[in-house]
Amino acid sequence: MTAKQWFNWHSLSGVWFGVLLFIICWTGAFASIAHELDWLFNDQVRAVDGQSNISLAAAYEMVQKAYPDARIGIAFTGPDTYFSYDIVMRMPDSPWQHVYVDPLSGAIQGESSFFNIQRFFRDFHMHFFGVFDSIISYYLVLIFAVPLCISTVSAHYVYRLWWKKLFVFTFSGDARAKMASMHKISGAWGLWLAVVISLTSIWYLFEFVRMDMVDGKTAYTDVGDFAVNPLAELPRQDKPQLSVVELFAIVKATRPDLEVKAIRYSGGYFYAEGQSQDWIVRDRANKIYVNPYTGEVVYSQTASSQGLYWRLSDTADPLHFGNFAGIWGRYCGLYLGLCSHFWFSVVLTCLSSGSLNCAAKISTEV
């Protein structure tokens, strides 16, 4: 295609989809640091950095003892060492809530609604809170991966040799010229990250279509038919289960390489997941299932044991949210989202020039 045609496609993606792309990118940017926002605004979430005297399993049992009627869904260590343990539970006839346990003292620091800052931005970013039918809401967000990719690819051809123009800004001219210059420089600085977001967004769209319309598989191994390698559900037995602390010790003895990030019961099994030696994977890429009655390890999975497809699937999340690079990677994600005004600035550029019919005009030229 010619440079003029690439420019037309780039303009179309911004004019037609700029506002919603701006909303999706903006909420995704804050979703990447939403845990830190909870830490900032809720002192119950905070812990002394790097100091831990009790295990996640011990914290789990402390909450069990403090809330004997509660149903515990899952227990997390938190995204970093300065976070309290997070146990998600619900009382009878009550909604789910977070209970925070100090890793140093084991004290229960308090409770908060399940719908915290992290949940707000994640649900907004993923499916607009499901305001439509759940499936439609997901597709409504996922389909925007296409114009996002069009904007990213076409930018390479529209703004050639962009790496030489990282500090080029036009201070002269009217408001439209200044906006266009801001659009270019912010796009140039965020282009490398826009490529990552575009590719992972397309992957999410592909995964969702495959899952929804082809095979219904959402995991390589799990308890249920939705897994490629399904485990049979473990029936209840007339004998006591091992304690959570004992089961946790079995997990650590079996997988000393596993840095456990979350524990729960799944399909009758004691389940743990976390990080191991494989790079850039989400926690559930490494998992282990233990029979809570006998202590037998039923299944142990590493990220590399699933095959290429599921290994890539487990890599998409850390790349998309910048988790693999720690807090600084997430701050880069925040930067891109805040620079996502460059999707919106296309609309502003057209409006400032009085070209309210520019979308129709451009579409006739493509």
Side-chain angles (χ1 to χ4, degrees), residues 196-213:
V196 174
I197 300 301
S198 298
L199 291 176
T200 52
S201 297
I202 286 291
W203 178 266
Y204 289 144
L205 177 60
F206 165 74
E207 275 199 314
F208 206 87
V209 171
R210 176 200 55 77
M211 175 193 69
D212 191 40
M213 301 181 182

Side-chain angles (χ1 to χ4, degrees), residues 4-76:
K4 174 66 173 176
Q5 289 174 317
W6 279 117
F7 175 79
N8 288 341
W9 279 111
H10 189 72
S11 300
L12 273 175
S13 64
V15 172
W16 285 355
F17 308 107
V19 175
L20 275 176
L21 274 172
F22 170 76
I23 294 171
I24 293 170
C25 290
W26 184 83
T27 54
F30 283 99
S32 67
I33 62 161
H35 285 293
E36 282 72 23
L37 292 176
D38 274 316
W39 182 94
L40 182 63
F41 291 105
N42 185 355
D43 57 5
Q44 299 170 352
V45 180
R46 301 171 199 165
V48 179
D49 187 14
Q51 298 189 32
S52 174
N53 282 343
I54 66 168
S55 67
L56 181 61
Y60 189 110
E61 290 192 341
M62 289 173 182
V63 173
Q64 274 186 323
K65 184 177 180 180
Y67 303 89
D69 297 326
R71 174 190 169 191
I72 297 179
I74 190 167
F76 297 101

Side-chain angles (χ1 to χ4, degrees), residues 229-265:
N229 179 32
L231 298 178
E233 187 168 346
L234 186 67
R236 286 184 174 272
Q237 300 180 20
D238 294 328
K239 60 180 180 180
Q241 296 184 354
L242 299 174
S243 70
V244 174
V245 170
E246 290 173 317
L247 293 167
F248 188 81
I250 292 172
V251 168
K252 296 299 292 182
T254 305
R255 291 282 302 275
D257 61 300
L258 184 64
E259 181 187 357
V260 177
K261 295 291 188 178
I263 57 175
R264 62 185 171 92
Y265 285 89

Side-chain angles (χ1 to χ4, degrees), residues 146-339:
V146 176
L148 181 63
C149 281
I150 292 174
S151 290
T152 304
V153 172
S154 59
H156 285 275
Y157 296 92
V158 172
Y159 200 49
R160 298 177 186 274
L161 302 177
W162 55 268
W163 55 90
K164 296 182 179 180
K165 306 170 184 177
L166 293 174
F167 300 97
V168 177
F169 183 78
T170 301
F171 292 94
S172 60
D174 58 12
R176 183 178 181 277
K178 292 187 176 89
M179 180 63 71
S181 183
M182 182 181 296
H183 174 81
K184 292 173 183 177
I185 195 170
S186 63
W189 277 96
L191 192 57
W192 67 275
L193 205 50
V195 171
V196 174
I197 300 301
S198 298
L199 291 176
T200 52
S201 297
I202 286 291
W203 178 266
Y204 289 144
L205 177 60
F206 165 74
E207 275 199 314
F208 206 87
V209 171
R210 176 200 55 77
M211 175 193 69
D212 191 40
M213 301 181 182
V214 181
D215 58 12
K217 304 300 183 183
T218 61
Y220 179 73
T221 298
D222 213 320
V223 182
D225 293 336
F226 56 86
V228 175
N229 179 32
L231 298 178
E233 187 168 346
L234 186 67
R236 286 184 174 272
Q237 300 180 20
D238 294 328
K239 60 180 180 180
Q241 296 184 354
L242 299 174
S243 70
V244 174
V245 170
E246 290 173 317
L247 293 167
F248 188 81
I250 292 172
V251 168
K252 296 299 292 182
T254 305
R255 291 282 302 275
D257 61 300
L258 184 64
E259 181 187 357
V260 177
K261 295 291 188 178
I263 57 175
R264 62 185 171 92
Y265 285 89
S266 175
Y269 301 97
F270 179 76
Y271 168 93
E273 64 181 34
Q275 292 294 314
S276 184
Q277 298 170 352
D278 295 282
W279 288 7
I280 316 180
V281 292
R282 57 190 171 190
D283 293 339
R284 65 175 177 266
N286 301 284
K287 60 176 68 170
I288 185 168
Y289 291 84
V290 182
N291 186 322
Y293 300 99
T294 64
E296 174 193 3
V297 175
V298 177
Y299 179 79
S300 179
Q301 174 182 292
T302 62
S304 57
S305 68
Q306 308 174 82
L308 178 60
Y309 176 85
W310 293 100
R311 176 63 171 78
L312 291 175
S313 180
D314 285 325
T315 299
D317 275 3
L319 285 177
H320 192 76
F321 288 99
N323 296 335
F324 70 96
I327 185 62
W328 295 110
R330 295 194 288 275
Y331 281 151
C332 283
L334 176 64
Y335 160 78
L336 177 62
L338 295 180
C339 282

